[in-house]
Amino acid sequence: MAKLRFLFFLLILAVAANAQRAMTVAEVETFVKSQMKLGADRDHATAEYLLKSVKLKEHLDDRTVEEWQGQGVGHETIRALRKLAMDSASLPAPPPAVVVVPPPPPKPPSAQEQAEVLEAVKQYALNYTSSLPNYVCTQITRRKQSPTDKLRTQGYIGNGDTIQETLTFFEHKETYKVVLWNGKAVNNVSHEQLGGTRSSGEFGSMLSNIFERDSGAEFAWERWATLDKHRMYVFSYHMPKSNGYSMADEEVHREYTAAYHGLVYADHDTKEIMRITLDTEGIPADFPIHEVHIQLDYDHIKISDQDFLLPLRYQLTSKASNVETENIAEFRGYKKYGAEATIIFDDAPISDERLKEQPDTPQLPATPAPNKK
């Protein structure tokens, strides 16, 4: 029996020894910082793991430990790291960090190309509304309201709602009919009666306002970008107050027109506008609305087997004295005018990942195959 106990004890020691994980200094850093993100209460558990389960493959020097301490690593974890530093004194130093030099940014198009593209984009924008058919679609708007920090400390909580409307585009004009409000059918509620933050005119007015010949907008090259695997020209623009963005606060019965700036994303191949952004500027400090940001994304949609570029998602965020709001409107179920609009009861929002801007990824020309003799 004593022999069996002795063998069992040796087995425990072997398992404990094998449980230690050999780690590099870089791996220890990754582990410690990931634990920090989980909260200060992980300090003791992190230290215990380092002391009992980690065996360094490289020397951890005191300077590195001090740097980590300055970044907010917990006291118990620092003591454990200093113990690892002492135990690893005879080990070789970690290899120098590999500095990855990013490739140089792609060159901007020539001044002539920029001028030609801008002219093509302007023509596209000015003709956009007239090129659209008469149609109906479903607009689903998710609205959120969050109190400012000052009100939040006083116990105010955020709220929101979801509104589904039938949007009719007929003879270049938009009309709205509210169908569902928080999933419940409503009657005789107009778009204007919804209250809260609301908007209209996304289908063409933003484009025409920016690109009209006498709008006063000034354009400049910004960068290359990629949206949904398509390369984009990106131009910045600035709009003067004389043709600015109009805002109204119904509670205090005040209106203001603000200058604004933003970005225009145009497809490299088709010169179609795929995204517009707008940011207000110069709003007086005493005006209830402090800032507004808008992003409008387009996508190719089929109506009666014809392809049209139509709004996909419209995002409006605003900040006021007491509240911050976010409206995200998505456009679904496009149909030819006269058809019955679709009521959608269970609809997942469009993924932010789908609309995420990617670094520029121009397609390099293919290398020609060698001639065979």
Side-chain angles (χ1 to χ4, degrees):
M1 183 65 66
K3 184 176 180 181
L4 287 175
R5 284 199 297 270
F6 179 68
L7 290 174
F8 181 66
F9 179 69
L10 288 179
L11 179 62
I12 291 175
L13 290 179
V15 170
N18 290 334
Q20 281 194 312
R21 179 183 173 188
M23 298 177 71
T24 65
V25 171
E27 289 171 335
V28 169
E29 180 180 16
T30 300
F31 167 71
V32 168
K33 292 184 177 180
S34 67
Q35 292 295 101
M36 285 176 60
K37 292 179 180 179
L38 297 177
D41 58 343
R42 298 293 301 172
D43 185 30
H44 178 75
T46 303
E48 286 286 304
Y49 180 82
L50 291 172
L51 291 172
K52 295 180 179 180
S53 303
V54 173
K55 181 178 181 181
L56 284 174
K57 296 192 288 187
E58 305 162 342
H59 174 48
L60 172 62
D61 58 56
D62 293 332
R63 181 178 178 182
T64 300
V65 176
E66 290 175 2
E67 289 178 358
W68 295 351
Q69 185 177 16
Q71 295 170 12
V73 175
H75 298 301
E76 290 191 54
T77 302
I78 289 297
R79 284 197 292 270
L81 290 170
R82 285 180 177 144
K83 177 68 167 55
L84 288 176
M86 286 177 34
D87 294 344
S88 65
S90 61
L91 297 176
V98 178
V99 178
V100 179
V101 180
K107 294 181 179 180
S110 66
Q112 179 179 348
E113 183 179 354
Q114 291 181 35
E116 291 173 351
V117 171
L118 266 177
E119 184 59 30
V121 170
K122 288 179 180 179
Q123 290 298 327
Y124 168 84
L126 294 174
N127 295 324
Y128 175 74
T129 302
S130 62
S131 68
L132 296 180
N134 295 326
Y135 58 81
V136 295
C137 72
T138 298
Q139 175 175 316
I140 301 172
T141 306
R142 296 175 176 87
R143 306 194 299 182
K144 297 179 183 178
Q145 289 188 339
S146 303
T148 59
D149 291 339
K150 180 180 179 181
L151 288 184
R152 195 176 291 112
T153 59
Q154 299 175 17
Y156 287 84
I157 60 175
N159 56 41
D161 56 11
T162 299
I163 301 161
Q164 188 171 146
E165 299 172 87
T166 297
L167 192 157
T168 301
F169 187 83
F170 181 73
E171 294 184 351
H172 315 313
K173 294 181 180 180
E174 302 164 28
T175 57
Y176 298 83
K177 178 184 178 183
V178 181
V179 179
L180 299 177
W181 198 343
N182 291 329
K184 296 181 180 179
V186 295
N187 292 310
N188 302 320
V189 177
S190 68
H191 184 80
E192 291 71 23
Q193 292 173 320
L194 292 171
T197 303
R198 59 190 185 275
S199 63
S200 61
E202 292 83 20
F203 280 73
S205 61
M206 282 187 69
L207 285 177
S208 60
N209 287 347
I210 294 171
F211 288 99
E212 284 177 348
R213 298 294 179 182
D214 56 352
S215 70
E218 298 179 352
F219 296 87
W221 171 254
E222 181 70 18
R223 63 176 180 270
W224 292 104
T226 299
L227 293 178
D228 195 23
K229 300 180 182 180
H230 292 270
R231 196 181 195 197
M232 300 285 152
Y233 295 99
V234 184
F235 291 93
S236 63
Y237 70 89
H238 181 268
M239 183 69 70
K241 184 178 183 300
S242 57
N243 195 33
Y245 180 79
S246 297
M247 300 169 289
D249 189 296
E250 296 176 347
E251 291 187 6
V252 297
H253 305 288
R254 288 187 63 185
E255 297 183 3
Y256 185 76
T257 300
Y260 61 90
H261 62 274
L263 300 173
V264 175
Y265 293 69
D267 187 280
H268 175 269
D269 298 324
T270 65
K271 310 304 181 291
E272 294 172 318
I273 296 174
M274 304 303 297
R275 172 178 292 172
I276 310 173
T277 70
L278 180 156
D279 289 276
T280 55
E281 58 182 58
I283 300 175
D286 65 341
F287 190 71
I289 302 171
H290 298 163
E291 61 182 73
V292 175
H293 168 77
I294 293 173
Q295 178 174 309
L296 173 59
D297 287 276
Y298 293 84
D299 197 11
H300 287 275
I301 308 291
K302 284 191 178 296
I303 299 178
S304 299
D305 295 327
Q306 283 189 275
D307 187 85
F308 298 94
L309 192 70
L310 294 163
L312 175 69
R313 189 174 83 159
Y314 177 87
Q315 180 178 7
L316 183 151
T317 57
S318 65
K319 292 184 179 180
S321 303
N322 296 326
V323 68
E324 298 178 2
T325 64
E326 178 186 65
N327 288 13
I328 297 181
E330 298 175 357
F331 305 93
R332 307 291 181 86
Y334 282 94
K335 295 182 179 180
K336 187 176 180 180
Y337 176 75
E340 189 73 21
T342 304
I343 297 178
I344 301 173
F345 293 98
D346 184 15
D347 181 65
I350 296 172
S351 168
D352 289 336
E353 195 65 28
R354 175 181 173 185
L355 301 176
K356 187 176 180 181
E357 178 181 334
Q358 302 294 329
D360 179 54
T361 53
Q363 297 295 318
L364 297 177
T367 304
N371 292 328
K372 294 183 179 180
K373 295 184 179 179

